[in-house]
Structures are given as C-alpha cells and as structure tokens.
Amino acid sequence: MAAEIVPKSKKQVNLFYSLDCKDLAFNVASHSDHIILHNIKWRSFADGFPNIYIENAEELRGKHVAFLASFSSPAHVFEQLSVIYALPRLFVASFALVLPFFPTGSFERMEEEGDVATAFTLARMLSNIPISRGGPTSLVIYDIHALQERFYFSDEVLPLFETGIPLLKQRLSQLPDADNVVIAFPDDGAWKRFHKQFDNFSVVVCNKVREGDKRIVRIKEGDATGRHVVIVDDLVQSGGTLIECQKVLAAHGAAKVSAYVTHGVFPNQSWERFTHKNDGLENAFAYFWTTDSCPLTVKAIGNKAPFEILSLAGSIANALQI
C-alpha cells in the first residue's frame, strides 16, 4: 500500500523591513496569511549614526524571521546591515534576507588594475551574516546582473536567485496583441541572461558596434517588421541604450516598442526621458514595465505613462516558504 503523502505545512514568517520597503512589505503580507509584519524603530543619534530598536525581540526566539531590504540608497545600507546582523543572533529558528535588487551587480569584474569590484565587496559583507539556529541565511535576490556572482558569496549564506520574468510573461499574455509580441535584447549579455526564458517567442538581438568615436546600436539578428517588440534587460540606469534600441527597432518597421527591466534604477530622475510628454520621445514606448525592487523609483514613476509596476510581492511571499 502506497504511503500517504502529507502536504507540507507552511511556516509562519516574521517579516521585518526597511523604511523604503514598507509598501512592498505590506503587499507581501497581503499575499499570505503566514507572514506577520514587525516594526523596527529607525532612529538616529545627534551625530547621524543609527539608533535602532527591534521591538519584541525576545518573542522571536524559535521563530522564522526574515528582513526585506533595499540597498538602492547607499546612505541606508549601514543601518540595515546592523539589523541584518542582529536578527539571527536572537535565537531565531531561521533567517532569510530578501534583497530584491543587488545594487553593485554591474560592477562585478576588473577591467584594469585599480578597478574595485564592489559586487564582491557587498557579497563579502552579506556573507558575514551570523548563522542562525537553523543554519546559514537564505539570501533572496532577483535578476542579479551576472549569474557568476553567486560564487562571490561564502558558504555562510545560501543565495536564492529569483527572476521577475514570469511577471512580464503574464502581463504580455494579457495584451490585445499578445500573438504579435517579439522579445528584443539590447546586447549579447541580455540575450545570454534571459533568452532561455523566452523559448516560445520570436527574438531580436541588438548589439553595439563602434564607428569612429561613436558606438552605434544595430540589429544583429531577427525581424521587427510589423511586430510589437518588447526590449528585455535586467536593469536600467540612464536609459540611453534602451532609447537607441527603440530608434533602431522603429526604423526597421516595428509597429510598437515597449520595454521591461526588473530593476528601474533611474538615477537623477532619468525616468523622465521615457514619459510620453517628453519632446522627441512622444509615445516612443507603448509600455515600460518594471518591478518594485527599487522602491524610490516606484514612488517617482507612479501613474506616469508609459510606466507600469509589476509587483514582486507574490513571488517574495512564495520564496519565504522555501
């Protein structure tokens, strides 16, 4: 007689969060009855250094604990690390750190002697999180810039690399022209990073070539004619590459061009280049999808066309049960 398979019961997770992540944390909790939000008093001394208090710390003994972090602003990294190092020491059953955006990910290698690979530095800092009673910290990161960065972490943490691509694919399936969508990659790096997740889509690959002192974006392979082309990449900073790709795709007959990035960094309000009211880029992008991995960006671009936020909340809630 076959043994009866007993469904695995869900664990109750006590979720703390940084101030920037408050909205995302509440959204995560709304996706699961097994997530309980907890408060931290984020205060500062007169000299500006953190004065932090974890409420009801003794009640966390023997319980599963997680922290939702945002390192988008370097000024807030130290105070969050202070909490991240403290929570596992409270005799918790397990500890998970959710860092949706690993901000130094694009600085993962040295081009010449003297370059500092800050991705390695941040990985070393996170690798020193104290071990909880349940073992190493689970570290959840979305669409890290280069998958080989997993080897920057020591055995003291267990990196779990998730992706926002399923959210995009779900949204694409809802479009009225879903059958006419083509996925475009702005360079070979993006193609290598994501193409296996788009096996059922036609693909266009762009690349940059040097002409004199200029770097020109060209279509390397694929056909955009008459199609709704969606450019996919892991993150956007100034947006210059996306804009150049849009121009090339439109010139090659694309009916519409949209874009998706998991991490909308947009320093210096560079998102303004993409709004439909901007002269010269009027309606250049039909849609611009990004996630809520960078909370400051979410607040800045809310309800501004062509932007739409695809929330990671449900995915994070599921990751906390792994």
Side-chain angles (χ1 to χ4, degrees):
M1 183 176 179
E4 182 180 355
I5 299 176
V6 179
K8 181 181 178 182
S9 59
K10 290 189 174 183
K11 61 186 177 184
Q12 184 170 283
V13 179
N14 298 269
L15 180 61
F16 293 83
Y17 51 90
S18 68
L19 286 174
D20 287 342
C21 287
K22 181 177 180 179
D23 290 344
L24 179 55
F26 274 78
N27 200 358
V28 171
S30 72
H31 281 77
S32 173
D33 294 332
H34 296 85
I35 295 176
I36 301 174
L37 295 181
H38 289 266
N39 291 322
I40 293 175
K41 290 184 179 178
W42 301 95
R43 304 167 299 190
S44 297
F45 291 108
D47 60 2
F49 275 87
N51 176 16
I52 304 166
Y53 181 73
I54 300 171
E55 296 185 352
N56 304 315
E58 291 185 359
E59 297 179 7
L60 297 176
R61 294 176 181 176
K63 296 182 179 179
H64 301 287
V65 173
F67 183 77
L68 178 58
S70 173
F71 288 179
S72 298
S73 173
H76 295 159
V77 172
F78 177 70
E79 62 184 22
Q80 291 179 73
L81 280 175
S82 300
V83 171
I84 291 165
Y85 283 14
L87 286 171
R89 293 180 177 274
L90 297 176
F91 289 89
V92 300
S94 68
F95 180 63
L97 170 61
V98 181
L99 182 63
F101 175 46
F102 188 77
T104 58
S106 57
F107 309 105
E108 83 282 3
R109 63 184 182 273
M110 295 173 59
E111 299 277 339
E112 59 179 320
E113 194 66 35
D115 285 341
V116 177
T118 50
F120 181 52
T121 304
L122 182 55
R124 292 171 70 185
M125 293 166 70
L126 296 176
S127 295
N128 282 290
I129 298 173
I131 295 177
S132 70
R133 290 177 61 190
T137 293
S138 300
L139 173 59
V140 183
I141 297 174
Y142 283 81
D143 290 320
I144 197 166
H145 186 69
L147 285 175
Q148 63 266 26
E149 291 176 51
R150 70 176 66 228
F151 302 112
Y152 287 174
F153 297 92
S154 76
D155 293 338
E156 304 303 313
V157 294
L158 299 175
L160 175 62
F161 295 119
E162 296 283 5
T163 179
I165 296 300
L167 298 173
L168 170 64
K169 292 167 74 172
Q170 181 182 25
R171 182 67 182 93
L172 293 179
S173 70
Q174 299 167 352
L175 296 177
D177 59 350
D179 294 337
N180 195 41
V181 168
V182 168
I183 301 300
F185 300 107
D187 52 39
D188 288 332
W191 177 84
K192 292 177 183 178
R193 186 72 178 80
F194 293 115
H195 79 277
K196 290 184 179 180
Q197 299 185 62
F198 293 99
D199 285 342
N200 296 325
F201 290 82
S202 298
V203 168
V204 173
V205 181
C206 300
N207 67 353
K208 293 179 181 179
V209 296
R210 186 174 295 279
E211 290 188 357
D213 295 332
K214 297 181 179 180
R215 289 176 65 84
I216 308 297
V217 175
R218 289 182 175 174
I219 292 180
K220 177 181 178 182
E221 61 182 84
D223 185 9
T225 306
R227 310 298 291 272
H228 180 179
V229 184
V230 179
I231 307 170
V232 173
D233 209 349
D234 61 322
L235 61 83
V236 59
Q237 297 267 6
S238 68
T241 298
L242 291 179
I243 289 171
E244 291 305 312
C245 283
Q246 184 277 331
K247 292 178 180 178
V248 170
L249 291 165
H252 281 76
K256 286 193 290 188
V257 178
S258 296
Y260 167 85
V261 295
T262 302
H263 311 297
V265 184
F266 290 123
N268 303 314
Q269 296 183 303
S270 56
W271 55 266
E272 292 181 343
R273 305 176 69 183
F274 295 90
T275 55
H276 283 174
K277 66 180 181 180
N278 195 313
D279 292 339
L281 276 176
E282 187 85 26
N283 300 324
F285 287 84
Y287 300 93
F288 197 125
W289 295 288
T290 187
T291 75
D292 41 7
S293 67
C294 298
L296 298 181
T297 296
V298 173
K299 293 178 181 178
I301 67 176
N303 300 319
K304 293 182 175 67
F307 293 104
E308 286 187 12
I309 303 298
L310 307 179
S311 181
L312 297 172
S315 178
I316 291 173
N318 291 333
L320 290 176
Q321 290 297 327
I322 296 176

